[in-house]
């Protein structure tokens, strides 16, 4: 498909994609964001589309995958593991702490310490906190999954050791 024809076809199915986005998100603003993400991804990957493939189906698949990835990332960011005695943290109001200057300062300090790590530990740890699964990190880095898990574990341990003062201060 020629670039001009691709763009025209993409514009022609925007209403259908928006309706599909609404069924996935049940929110107009989120649906618009999902539609925009899908359109951008389709434009970025136009060369991967083959003429003998159902164009609308290809776009729906892109949208569905973006929605699923965003949902998984959101769920991971909302997961709290409370290992304190009597589940103290679960009984506190669920605030991230990043809205306050102190919360951002702590985040910036953590990132500064993490950026001091060697790439072999920093990269898998950051990817893991961004929501990538172990096998995805292993594929992208060309490493065995066990190596990825151990590097993330050691990075976490080292962060806890280097930032133990923060744990006691807050």
């Amino acid at each position: 498909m020629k670039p001009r024809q691709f763009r025209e076809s993409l514009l022609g199915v925007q209403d259908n994609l928006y309706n599909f986005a609404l069924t996935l998100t049940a929110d107009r603003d989120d649906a618009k964001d999902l539609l925009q993400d899908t359109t951008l991804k389709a434009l970025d990957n136009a060369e991967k589309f083959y003429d003998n493939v159902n164009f609308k189906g290809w776009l729906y698949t892109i949208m569905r995958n973006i929605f699923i990835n965003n949902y998984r990332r959101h769920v991971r960011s909302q997961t709290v593991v409370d290992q304190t005695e009597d589940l103290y943290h679960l009984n506190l109001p669920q605030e991230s702490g990043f809205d306050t200057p102190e919360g951002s300062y702590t985040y910036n300090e953590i990132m500064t310490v993490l950026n001091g790590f060697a790439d072999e530990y920093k990269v898998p740890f950051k990817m893991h906190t961004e929501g990538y699964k172990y096998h995805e990190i292993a594929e992208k880095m060309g490493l065995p999954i066990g190596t990825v898990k151990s590097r993330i574990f050691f990075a976490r341990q080292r962060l806890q050791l280097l930032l133990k003062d923060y744990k006691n201060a807050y």
Side-chain angles (χ1 to χ4, degrees):
M1 186 179 293
K2 294 181 180 178
R4 181 182 173 101
Q5 184 184 5
F6 183 88
R7 287 192 300 272
E8 288 173 359
S9 297
L10 184 58
L11 287 174
V13 295
Q14 291 291 297
D15 290 339
N16 294 340
L17 287 171
Y18 177 71
N19 290 334
F20 183 56
L22 270 175
T23 62
L24 293 172
T25 64
D27 181 80
R28 291 181 189 270
D29 291 332
D30 290 342
K32 288 176 184 176
D33 290 342
L34 183 57
L35 175 62
Q36 182 178 5
D37 291 344
T38 302
T39 303
L40 288 173
K41 186 114 180 167
L43 288 170
D44 286 344
N45 294 290
E47 72 282 352
K48 295 179 183 175
F49 177 74
Y50 298 105
D51 282 336
N52 61 348
V53 175
N54 177 356
F55 185 69
K56 194 187 290 188
W58 183 70
L59 292 170
Y60 281 3
T61 302
I62 292 172
M63 181 175 280
R64 188 190 75 230
N65 290 341
I66 291 171
F67 174 76
I68 290 170
N69 289 339
N70 289 344
Y71 176 78
R72 286 179 180 160
R73 194 172 296 119
H74 177 73
V75 167
R76 281 191 198 108
S77 71
Q78 299 299 318
T79 302
V80 175
V81 178
D82 187 358
Q83 297 178 344
T84 60
E85 192 172 314
D86 299 327
L87 302 176
Y88 173 76
H89 293 291
L90 287 178
N91 296 321
L92 295 174
Q94 298 298 314
E95 296 178 13
S96 69
F98 291 121
D99 294 332
T100 65
E102 295 84 13
S104 341
Y105 180 74
T106 303
Y107 174 78
N108 290 335
E109 286 296 316
I110 291 169
M111 294 312 293
T112 300
V113 172
L114 184 62
N115 286 329
F117 288 11
D119 283 347
E120 64 183 322
Y121 295 100
K122 174 177 51 177
V123 173
F125 186 82
K126 280 185 174 182
M127 289 176 74
H128 182 65
T129 59
E130 290 169 0
Y132 287 93
K133 294 183 179 183
Y134 291 121
H135 71 87
E136 294 172 328
I137 299 168
E139 285 177 21
K140 287 192 185 266
M141 295 189 72
L143 297 169
I145 196 164
T147 303
V148 168
K149 287 180 179 181
S150 66
R151 288 182 181 179
I152 292 170
F153 173 79
F154 289 126
R156 184 181 299 123
Q157 271 191 327
R158 188 164 175 221
L159 273 174
Q160 288 173 342
L161 178 67
L162 294 171
L163 298 172
K164 66 184 173 196
D165 294 334
Y166 284 109
K167 184 178 178 184
N168 297 331
Y170 294 99

